[in-house]
Amino acid sequence: MGLLSDPNRRRALIGMLTRLNAPICMICYMAGVAWFMGLAFEPFTLRTYMSENAMGSTMVEERFPAGERALATGREFAAHKKKTGGMPVDWLVRTMQARGLEVYTQRFSRKLPFPDEDKERYMVKGTNVYGILRAPRAPRTEALVLSAPCSPGNENNQAVGILLGLAQYFRSQIYWAKDIIFLVNEHDLIGMQAWLEGYHHTNTTGMDWSPLQGRGGSIQAALSLELSSDVVTSLDLVLEGLNGQLPNLDLANLFYAFCQKIGVLCTTQGKLPRNDWDTTSGYSHAVQTMMLMVLKQASSRPWGDHGLFLRYHIEAASIKGVNSFRPYKTDATTVGRLLEGMYRKLNNLLERLHQSYFFYLMPSLTRFVSIGYYMPAFGLLALILLLRALDLWVQLSSPPTRTTEDGVEVVPASPGVLSILTPLVISHLTGVALYTLPVLSQELAVEHFPVSETEAVVLTAIAIYTAGLALPHNTHRLLAGEGTEQGWKVLKLVAVLYLAVLLGCTALINFSLGFILALTLVPLAAFITPHVPKTLSAVVMVILSPGLTLLFAVFFFQELQETPVTLQEGWMLYLSVISQGILDHALYGSLLYPLAALLVYPCWLLFWNILFWK
Amino acid sequence: MIAITQRHVHDAAVPPLAGDPPAADPPSPPPSKDDFQEELVIRPLHSGDIYASFQFRTVWDADFMGDQKVSHYRLFPKSLGQVITKFSVRELHISFTQGYWRTMQWGQPYLPSPPGAELWVWFQDTVTDVDGTWKELTNVLSGIFCASLNFIDSTNTVQPSASFKPLGIGNVTDHSFLRYATLPREIVCTENLTPWKKLLPCGSKAGLSVLLKSEKLFHSTFHSQAVHVRPVCQDPQCRTTSMELRQTLNVVFDLHTSGQGKREWSLFKMFSRTLTEACPLASSSKVYVDVTDNPQGEQFELSPATPLLTQAVVLGDRRTYSVYDLTQQASFGSSRSLNMLLRWKNSHNNVVPPVMLRPLLHSERYVAGYGLQAGEIHTLIYNHHPYRAFPVLLLSAVPWYLRLYIHTLTVSSKGKDNRPSYIHYQPSKDRERPHLLEMLLQLPPNSVTEVTVEFERALLKWTEYTPDPNHGFYVGSSVISALVPSVVAMDTNSTLDRPLFSSFFPCKEEASYFMRVYTEPLLVNLPTPDFSMPYNVICLTCTVVAVGYGSLYNLLTRTFQVDEPSPGLAKRIANVIRRFRGVPLL
């Protein structure tokens, strides 16, 4: 700070920063990217460890014996599901009651804003069935949840079977200290949303549900089980929840610990942990795993039924059974024992899971990167924005004086508020249009064009997005005079600071999203001026715009998942991703779509305005 | 089958010492009369579980409220008697409960109690410093019962204005002599059972109390033990009063976990003991088995069979009981031990799924909302009576760290606003006293009444957090006291000899009976700092404040100017000389 109070040294520092601004920015950008790529390098990451005492040293024995019977129950469930053509509510109620649970049902209905073509649903009506196993001598203050979805077709029958099998086995044990809620939810996330809203008596998304009759107090942890085969080769742990929220790392540690104990292959992002970190393929494996997590987290959508629990501060994860061509298979009894062990340890919890990290990235199931390690990567990118802002600030505060013909020095007039405000307001109005119009105008679009409602929404969104590009040519007509040199600098200063705050806040909540946006938006924010070559810069800017970033992300994600798509398929996928994003916002309250439409896109438009400043 | 109302013939069992009429000789106090009864009720529940309720009643015709010191104790426990005398207690009710009574599956209990510990005391009107006496009393009781009752202080004590009337005689209305507190977090275990058993005249040596083995009692679904001390009438005319001590213990055993799927119960299976004798000090010692649902013996079989049947009106319903009188040698049969066996007749393979009951009155409570800033407490009260409305008193005491917004209080039944006819609200004071909300509500027939109130979660001082702050903070059960319409005429004649379990709450009218229902306690998370590294955080914060803020403030508020350094001494002297010479200065 002494450095800044000394005017001479301050001047020297500022002089250096403005002179070397461009190289420093370049270095920062490369350092940021390099840091990020280094996060997947094993020597730089930490090995996961159990922080929670209550789950660490206490040993539990797993004795669940009835895997075969559970599978038989699953087949019975499948038969009844087929017969009723949906959730076999009566059968489930009877079966759960016979297992000694307190059984309740919840009906719900939801009309989607526009038809969901991926899952083929529009008017959704369903019933959740849940049974509560009351813990002996417990005052109904704490509960654990085990859920399995009732999916259409032949999916997840085994999950329901194991759930019912575990319910029966758990019922005859005396050691429970928390109530255990066994939930079978219909229509996957919509049912889960209805149940959670009913349980907590909130209504954030305008869904219709009947109130719950039985509760078990505050839910401490939840697991969601997805299993569609009698035997599995590995179990996959899914952590990413709504808005990039993650459960406490101890939940992942618990899963890993039991997989190790029981001897089940376990993965995250479908990738096994590998030991050859010092080889190129080992490193690239870790990078792929981490990038998959980053992309999933950045998508802000729940990647399993557990994703909605996180909003209520309930630690939750999904466990998916994977049946591939590997020779070693794990049977249902073992899966049941794994779950039994996890529930017994969760049952031992004295406090909510809080000891371990809530913000982390996982380059493999055994390694993690905590917030302290990954934030510098983002910080280096954000620093560029601040340096540019400083540079602009210095330029603005010491305006270059021009000498007119008479030899009189003229200080250029500072730009009017209007010239800055107009582009700001107009870009944001475009953002508001992008946010509201697609859903509102779907009927109009369907009337006039030969498209379905879903296509109408997506194409309207793309159309408004593209129309925004024409703005700079029109905003100036609203302005009183010509844009001045000072004008774009002030506008850019505002835009750069705006972007810095926006990205900073986003990265705090959802690092992955913030980092991906920073990766594309920061370079263009740093180097856009009205004086760079117009056509080339315009192409670069469009390529780095949020919309195309999403398109690239879609291709990249498919590539990482080892299911590459052609251009045509990729485009179709892109359209469906946009519709899913809008639906996620309407159904579950995902914040990505409003963030992109109302803040990120207008911010990008400001830079577009600067490029075409006259 | 003919219901035989059985006559008590326990005069023979009364010890000769207690039979003397009170003498009128003031210097030597008359040998006071005391009497001890013990009783066990076994009720097979709807859900297949089994409910066992013990009651031990000691009545002593001593006048604790008078000036004379009571010094000679026989059946009445001295430790409790001294406490009552010292703190001028009129009535004392204390219960320790582990578990929550499941009204929807089990029906109503004979004596309700909330999870954790509950203590309420009426002091005599001679007590001047009620709060001080209360504080001392809780500490003493904490020692007697080996429980954390010493955690009762002003922040969890309330003075209910209407919900807790004295249960004994005496029509006190000034509720400034009443104190009520609950500790929802209290865990009940063996160390609480042992001192409780020591209060019994026979200890755990003889009589029904031999069954009270902790390894079985705590291998159950529900466990509750209580002590009630109150003054009662000595005779029908109520000329003199006596002190009544009731010790009750309720326990529910689970069919699934301990029965291994077999529906069969015996005393030995439940308690790992059988009965061999009555407590020699008891004037009456009986075991009742509820056989109301089994009039022809078609549901279950009870062996050994007993010819004695009795009927009692309990909780608005007429029930039939098989009675085993332990003071009769015949009850024990040839094996000299009594081991009742209940065997269900239908095959065990298809156990009927337990159907939810529809008790006339039951309730639910939960916290709504998410996030750590605000929330809403919902209390649902169900009236399942098809055509009768009845009033209930709802009491909730909420700790101060949940700041209730009382303007958001809404009460609605059947979608309509339901105006409470009486509201008593005492706002909380931070760190001093809790919120107290009492309401008199009329429950329409066949309805759900929903009471909601919003609250804000307070941020505590860092020393005020419990050692496990992320577990959450407890809010004690709400209490619903009601006069519920009775199906059959209630027995209002208090003089009649009735089983103990049906005679606890005084009954004043035939058409309704008094009932208390406790809601679930709540577990609420408060905003909690990360306590894992307070030292780092404190150091870092202090450094940032000291260095960063200080210099930044300096930078922002001062203007900096380049100051010419003052000339050196030589230069100044040179300038003086130059001035004299008239040449330009340096």
Side-chain angles (χ1 to χ4, degrees), chain B residues 160-351:
Chain B
S161 66
S163 295
F164 287 88
K165 289 288 164 209
L167 289 176
I169 52 163
N171 212 355
V172 199
T173 45
D174 185 1
H175 64 264
S176 64
F177 293 104
L178 169 66
R179 292 293 180 275
Y180 173 85
T182 53
L183 294 174
R185 222 189 156 163
E186 181 72 11
I187 309 276
V188 185
C189 203
T190 324
E191 79 257 27
N192 306 106
L193 182 68
T194 313
W196 183 90
K197 279 197 288 193
K198 281 189 179 159
L199 300 178
L200 295 170
C202 286
S204 47
K205 303 277 191 302
L208 292 176
S209 49
V210 294
L211 300 178
L212 303 174
K213 290 289 169 212
S214 51
E215 78 267 18
K216 281 290 181 184
L217 288 184
F218 291 105
H219 198 281
S220 58
T221 318
F222 175 85
H223 171 96
S224 166
Q225 59 189 66
V227 170
H228 302 275
V229 180
R230 60 176 176 178
V232 292
C233 289
Q234 207 165 359
D235 45 12
Q237 287 75 39
C238 213
R239 280 187 301 252
T240 48
T241 61
S242 39
M243 216 52 177
E244 183 200 62
L245 163 70
R246 271 187 203 242
Q247 285 180 257
T248 63
L249 189 141
N250 295 298
V251 60
V252 175
F253 293 102
D254 188 357
L255 171 78
H256 267 270
T257 52
S258 34
Q260 280 96 39
K262 252 188 171 180
R263 269 191 110 181
E264 189 180 295
W265 286 103
S266 67
L267 272 191
F268 188 77
K269 232 175 167 174
M270 284 191 274
F271 302 104
S272 73
R273 291 286 184 290
T274 54
L275 289 171
T276 50
E277 55 169 343
C279 170
L281 298 170
S283 63
S284 139
S285 175
K286 289 197 174 102
V287 179
Y288 294 85
V289 181
D290 191 333
V291 291
T292 317
D293 303 328
N294 189 36
Q296 308 295 330
E298 72 268 14
Q299 293 234 353
F300 53 82
E301 192 185 330
L302 180 64
S303 67
T306 170
L308 285 178
L309 286 179
T310 186
Q311 287 201 331
V313 179
V314 54
L315 298 165
D317 195 10
R318 189 175 299 279
R319 315 282 302 179
T320 313
Y321 296 90
S322 290
V323 188
Y324 298 83
D325 192 341
L326 301 187
T327 50
Q328 311 283 321
Q329 268 309 314
S331 304
F332 298 105
S334 55
S335 62
R336 298 205 168 274
S337 82
L338 178 61
N339 180 22
M340 272 156 283
L341 183 71
L342 268 88
R343 192 181 284 127
W344 267 260
K345 284 191 171 158
N346 58 349
S347 64
H348 319 303
N349 299 341
N350 50 351
V351 175

Side-chain angles (χ1 to χ4, degrees), chain A residues 223-385:
Chain A
L223 288 179
S224 175
L225 185 63
E226 289 175 34
L227 202 65
S228 303
S229 55
D230 288 358
V231 286
V232 293
T233 46
S234 63
L235 292 174
D236 189 46
L237 181 69
V238 185
L239 298 168
E240 299 84 4
L242 185 69
N243 291 324
Q245 276 184 293
L246 298 170
N248 196 281
L249 188 58
D250 268 345
L251 201 62
N253 297 340
L254 180 68
F255 172 73
Y256 179 69
F258 270 98
C259 284
Q260 290 299 99
K261 186 178 173 192
I262 293 181
V264 183
L265 280 183
C266 53
T267 60
T268 181
Q269 322 299 346
K271 310 253 182 205
L272 283 168
R274 278 167 64 159
N275 293 324
D276 52 342
W277 57 269
D278 43 359
T279 63
T280 323
S281 70
Y283 172 68
S284 94
H285 184 80
V287 171
Q288 282 174 21
T289 316
M290 189 178 74
M291 283 313 296
L292 272 171
M293 179 161 187
V294 166
L295 287 173
K296 280 184 178 177
Q297 198 188 12
S299 74
S300 291
R301 60 180 319 200
W303 284 83
D305 284 355
H306 73 282
L308 299 172
F309 280 94
L310 298 170
R311 176 203 298 256
Y312 301 91
H313 194 6
I314 300 166
E315 307 315 319
S318 285
I319 295 176
K320 289 187 182 175
V322 180
N323 195 13
S324 66
F325 300 110
R326 280 173 186 276
Y328 296 108
K329 304 282 185 190
T330 306
D331 62 350
T333 309
T334 316
V335 176
R337 278 171 54 214
L338 178 106
L339 287 167
E340 183 204 349
M342 289 182 74
Y343 272 87
R344 286 197 64 179
K345 284 244 178 158
L346 289 171
N347 180 54
N348 287 348
L349 278 183
L350 296 175
E351 304 181 59
R352 276 168 187 278
L353 287 175
H354 69 282
Q355 300 273 16
S356 195
Y357 295 88
F358 284 97
F359 297 94
Y360 53 86
L361 295 176
M362 297 191 92
S364 79
L365 199 52
T366 54
R367 296 265 156 187
F368 76 102
V369 182
S370 78
I371 184 166
Y373 289 83
Y374 66 59
M375 262 314 190
F378 173 80
L380 284 166
L381 296 190
L383 187 64
I384 298 174
L385 295 177

Side-chain angles (χ1 to χ4, degrees), chain A residues 393-407:
Chain A
W393 178 256
V394 171
Q395 284 180 33
L396 283 169
S397 54
S398 54
T401 48
R402 266 184 300 169
T403 316
T404 52
E405 296 87 50
D406 336 341

Side-chain angles (χ1 to χ4, degrees), chain A residues 137 200-201 213 350-352, chain B residues 218 220-221 364 369 471 525:
Chain A
R137 279 171 291 113
H200 295 95
H201 210 286
Q213 299 285 320
L350 296 175
E351 304 181 59
R352 276 168 187 278
Chain B
F218 291 105
S220 58
T221 318
E364 261 179 61
H471 178 66
N525 275 86

